[in-house]
Amino acid sequence: MDLRRLFLLGLLIVAPVAHAQEGDEVSFDYYECPMTLPDSEIEEETIDCAYLTVPEDRSDADSPMIDLAVAILYSPADDNDYQADPILYLDGGPGGSALAGIDGWYKSPLRETRDIILLDQRGTGFSQPFLGCFVDEDAEEVDEYQAVQDCRDSLVLEGVNLSAYNSFASVQDIADLRDQLEVDEWNLIGISYGTRLALTAMRDDPTGIRSVIIDSVYPPQVMGYEEQSPLLVRAIEMIFTSCAADADCDAAYPDLENVFYALIDDWNAEPMLAEAEDPDSGEYVETEYSGDDVIDLLSEALYDTEIIPYLPLAIYIAQDDPTYAMELIQYGGPGDDADDEESLTEQDFADSDGMFNSVECYEEMPFNSLDLALEAVDNLPESLREKFAADVESIFATCDIWAIDVADPIETEPVESDIPTLVLAGEFDPVTPPAWAEDAAYYLSNSYYFVFPEVGHGIMGTSDCATSIYEQFLDDPDTEPDSVCIADLAVEFAIE
């Protein structure tokens, strides 16, 4: 169905949404958009917002209903160029909000010919209930595990069935959404955890899926938490090897690996003070950084393709100018983000920690071994072992506290499908490495697999080359996209 025909219906219902009650049936009702829209950019006729109402637990006849937030961004294409197969975007996390990123989708070249449908998965974003875990900011010290317990207790007290928030249930939500919108065929785009959800849909309910793009792939067959620590170290070491292979970078930052590990050891022994912007006041204040803090920040930086070129410089100057180094790791330059024009992509909408816990503790953690995860940590560089062991133990302890049902073993098996699938990976990705994407592609008989050499986590929008491959595939999913442009991509490290 041409989704643009639905717009007039969307104008008729603008009352605030109320949480659905027991005994209701699946429904789709239009409402005012729950997120802030920049009036100067997104025109009223461009977007519709709605709530999809579904059972929280479809196996329970008396299950309460939950409301899932949906936004439809209409294509400006005329009838000659308009493609009736829309894109459904599946956000990552798990726990991220698709609707919070509506600004980027409004500007996306993919909207030139197709409508874009954004769904806040159950428990996330503007959907109700929201499985958020909030810590008292006034508390002087927060016990990590007590905070998890408090969050769980609070959600259960509200009547939330924590075992009902997982990929299997979300796939059924997706099927209901397609039925309610009367869409014959659509294209799924998933990034990060959204790739696992897309793969689960390909397995459990492939009806109406024309094509799939999985970008930064998290397939079900991996042992995510046994591999987590080595994966991050692999990405960090990519900085060292890539810099060493670049004559200019190697000359500017010789012996980068040893410099890095010496920095970690020194700052763990004696934390360093650096000025950092306070997110609440916007003022710069002195902040203490340990070596472990640097590892956390570096991990976050490796997600961002624009920051990667600055990392060798940041590592090298950290001892002499810690403030500048921390700015480089966090922003790619001294305060580069401070002057950015405000947009929806910068709105601070909390991810759903509760949804993250429910998904991971249901379908990933039960199939991993704490002993094997710690054994993998023992094989890492000595400077990293203590921190990484604590991180691994924390993850397993969280699931012990969360105490929910365990998925069927099918949730740890590869997905086999002949649906046309574009499989993408970033070479520097610290959390979903190219090996995972390649492994997923092996079981997808009609897939095309590409690695982008300069990218961290998330290929979409990082280059004209990436956009071209996205567009080619969506236009003709049965033909391999021309990927020759990838050969021209490389990291250009900042030299100072």
Side-chain angles (χ1 to χ4, degrees):
M1 180 177 182
D2 186 336
L3 291 180
R4 292 181 293 183
R5 298 176 188 170
L6 296 175
F7 170 68
L8 291 178
L9 298 176
L11 294 180
L12 301 179
I13 308 173
V14 293
V17 68
H19 186 66
Q21 302 299 310
E22 294 182 17
D24 292 344
E25 296 181 353
V26 172
S27 62
F28 188 82
D29 298 304
Y30 289 90
Y31 294 92
E32 288 183 345
C33 289
M35 62 287 192
T36 303
L37 301 176
D39 295 336
S40 61
E41 294 185 8
I42 300 183
E43 298 177 356
E44 186 176 344
E45 65 269 19
T46 304
I47 182 173
D48 264 340
C49 292
Y51 277 90
L52 173 71
T53 300
V54 298
E56 181 182 56
D57 181 358
R58 290 177 174 82
S59 67
D60 180 1
D62 297 321
S63 171
M65 306 295 283
I66 59 176
D67 301 309
L68 310 183
V70 178
I72 304 171
L73 281 164
Y74 298 104
S75 171
D78 59 28
D79 290 341
N80 291 327
D81 295 328
Y82 179 74
Q83 303 298 315
D85 48 282
I87 291 168
L88 173 65
Y89 172 62
L90 306 174
D91 202 40
S97 167
L99 271 66
I102 195 167
D103 186 50
W105 284 105
Y106 173 77
K107 299 172 183 175
S108 171
L110 302 183
R111 195 174 68 85
E112 292 178 5
T113 56
R114 286 179 172 82
D115 299 330
I116 308 289
I117 303 170
L118 307 178
L119 169 66
D120 272 350
Q121 300 155 32
R122 53 173 53 209
T124 73
F126 297 95
S127 292
Q128 301 175 15
F130 173 67
L131 273 59
C133 299
F134 301 101
V135 176
D136 183 0
E137 296 181 357
D138 296 329
E140 293 184 4
E141 188 172 343
V142 177
D143 180 272
E144 173 188 358
Y145 300 126
Q146 187 60 53
V148 174
Q149 185 69 64
D150 290 345
C151 178
R152 183 189 188 282
D153 292 346
S154 175
L155 292 172
V156 171
L157 187 63
E158 292 174 11
V160 175
N161 176 3
L162 296 176
S163 295
Y165 292 78
N166 51 63
S167 300
F168 174 77
S170 289
V171 166
Q172 295 171 299
D173 298 336
I174 290 169
D176 281 337
L177 177 61
R178 191 179 70 83
D179 288 342
Q180 292 294 314
L181 290 175
E182 300 181 9
V183 171
D184 293 327
E185 282 191 322
W186 59 11
N187 309 278
L188 305 185
I189 294 180
I191 296 178
S192 193
Y193 163 71
T195 65
R196 174 168 288 199
L197 184 52
L199 287 164
T200 305
M202 295 166 72
R203 181 195 69 204
D204 291 351
D205 194 347
T207 306
I209 302 178
R210 172 180 176 266
S211 74
V212 178
I213 299 177
I214 47 176
D215 179 337
S216 305
V217 186
Y218 181 25
Q221 66 266 32
V222 301
M223 295 295 105
Y225 292 103
E226 293 175 16
E227 302 177 44
Q228 181 184 59
S229 300
L231 289 180
L232 176 53
V233 175
R234 180 207 72 88
I236 291 172
E237 291 181 345
M238 278 293 302
I239 302 171
F240 309 147
T241 57
S242 297
C243 181
D246 181 311
D248 292 336
C249 188
D250 189 44
Y253 316 117
D255 200 25
L256 185 61
E257 181 173 2
N258 287 330
V259 170
F260 171 75
Y261 287 116
L263 172 70
I264 299 304
D265 291 339
D266 289 347
W267 284 25
N268 273 335
E270 185 177 350
M272 185 69 68
L273 288 175
E275 289 190 350
E277 185 177 5
D278 184 284
D280 296 322
S281 67
E283 298 179 356
Y284 276 77
V285 296
E286 279 198 336
T287 301
E288 187 176 82
Y289 293 95
S290 68
D292 290 348
D293 292 330
V294 173
I295 296 169
D296 287 336
L297 291 171
L298 194 65
S299 172
E300 294 175 12
L302 283 163
Y303 277 67
D304 192 332
T305 299
E306 294 184 357
I307 294 180
I308 291 171
Y310 296 94
L311 297 182
L313 169 61
I315 292 168
Y316 225 77
I317 67 169
Q319 294 287 10
D320 296 327
D321 192 344
T323 293
Y324 185 33
M326 293 301 99
E327 287 176 338
L328 289 171
I329 291 175
Q330 294 177 74
Y331 308 126
D336 277 0
D337 69 334
D339 297 327
D340 286 352
E341 183 178 346
E342 184 178 355
S343 70
L344 282 171
T345 56
E346 296 171 6
Q347 287 188 351
D348 184 17
F349 192 93
D351 286 348
S352 172
D353 295 338
M355 178 60 173
F356 179 92
N357 292 342
S358 283
V359 172
E360 295 298 288
C361 298
Y362 175 79
E363 64 195 55
E364 180 59 36
M365 187 65 67
F367 305 105
N368 287 248
S369 162
L370 175 58
D371 289 341
L372 291 178
L374 291 175
E375 184 178 314
V377 171
D378 286 341
N379 294 321
L380 300 181
E382 185 175 356
S383 301
L384 308 178
R385 291 174 195 166
E386 183 176 353
K387 171 188 166 41
F388 281 38
D391 289 346
V392 166
E393 290 170 347
S394 172
I395 294 166
F396 281 82
T398 293
C399 284
D400 287 341
I401 296 169
W402 210 246
I404 61 171
D405 295 342
V406 174
D408 185 274
I410 194 173
E411 298 299 345
T412 193
E413 296 175 4
V415 172
E416 298 184 35
S417 175
D418 61 0
I419 296 173
T421 308
L422 179 63
V423 184
L424 305 176
E427 189 65 56
F428 285 87
D429 193 326
V431 64
T432 56
W436 284 8
E438 186 175 17
D439 191 33
Y442 177 83
Y443 296 94
L444 304 174
S445 60
N446 194 10
S447 64
Y448 313 106
Y449 164 62
F450 302 108
V451 179
F452 285 72
E454 87 292 12
V455 175
H457 188 67
I459 313 303
M460 185 171 61
T462 56
S463 65
D464 291 340
C465 179
T467 299
S468 171
I469 290 174
Y470 257 82
E471 291 177 328
Q472 290 178 66
F473 175 76
L474 287 168
D475 288 344
D476 186 4
D478 291 312
T479 300
E480 180 172 353
D482 182 353
S483 61
V484 66
C485 58
I486 293 178
D488 296 327
L489 300 177
V491 178
E492 296 184 9
F493 290 109
I495 307 298
E496 186 171 297

